[in-house]
């Protein structure tokens, strides 16, 4: 499993397309151990980030907010999308996702 999280200033970025970088967290399904890779995304253009994250092997995206088109592109690629997550550190979000306690709320950016 590879979880992608848009990050700015060390925490989840509220707007998916305007993050500084992405934390790509690989999760070993057996041991639940994680390894994080940090990548700078390509320039924000409609449809670019879903395609780029798919190419990076993402299987889950945790975001604060995301436009409807991006959500549709992820879903068409079989990538699970969670929106409305709180601006926490990526490690905390991943652990909450893995133990089933990830709190989500309204989509913070629905354009």
């Amino acid at each position: 499993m590879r979880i992608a999280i848009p990050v700015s200033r060390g925490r989840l970025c509220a707007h998916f397309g305007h993050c500084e970088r992405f934390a790509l967290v690989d999760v070993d399904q057996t041991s639940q151990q994680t390894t994080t890779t940090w990548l700078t995304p390509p320039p924000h253009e409609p449809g670019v980030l879903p395609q780029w994250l798919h190419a990076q092997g993402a299987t889950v995206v945790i975001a604060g907010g995301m436009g409807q088109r991006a959500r549709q592109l992820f879903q068409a690629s079989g990538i699970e999308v969670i929106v409305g997550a709180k601006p926490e550190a990526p490690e905390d979000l991943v652990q909450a996702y893995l133990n089933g306690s990830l709190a989500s709320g309204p989509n913070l950016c629905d354009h």
Side-chain angles (χ1 to χ4, degrees), residues 2 9 18 29 37 39 42 53 56 68 75 78-79 101 109:
R2 182 169 247 197
R9 297 184 178 147
H18 296 143
Q29 296 286 3
T37 303
L39 295 177
L53 287 171
Q56 301 303 317
Q68 189 61 34
Q75 290 168 347
I79 298 172
S101 66
C109 172

Side-chain angles (χ1 to χ4, degrees), residues 17-18 40-49 52:
H18 296 143
T40 300
H44 178 59
E45 295 288 333
V48 168
L49 293 178
W52 179 73

Side-chain angles (χ1 to χ4, degrees), residues 44-104:
H44 178 59
E45 295 288 333
V48 168
L49 293 178
Q51 183 178 28
W52 179 73
L53 287 171
H54 181 324
Q56 301 303 317
T59 56
V60 178
V61 174
I62 299 173
M66 179 185 303
Q68 189 61 34
R69 181 164 186 254
R71 291 176 74 177
Q72 290 170 344
L73 290 170
F74 280 124
Q75 290 168 347
S77 295
I79 298 172
E80 179 184 1
V81 176
I82 300 163
V83 296
K86 304 221 182 303
E88 297 177 11
E91 302 81 19
D92 296 336
L93 293 167
V94 168
Q95 287 307 311
Y97 174 79
L98 293 175
N99 68 28
S101 66
L102 179 64
S104 61

Side-chain angles (χ1 to χ4, degrees), residues 5-46:
I5 301 171
V7 177
S8 289
R9 297 184 178 147
R11 296 189 167 279
L12 175 107
C13 181
H15 190 290
F16 173 76
H18 296 143
C19 65
E20 296 169 355
R21 57 191 181 152
F22 274 88
L24 296 177
V25 183
D26 293 302
V27 180
D28 181 295
Q29 296 286 3
T30 305
S31 67
Q32 298 290 300
Q33 287 193 309
T34 62
T35 305
T36 303
T37 303
W38 296 92
L39 295 177
T40 300
H44 178 59
E45 295 288 333

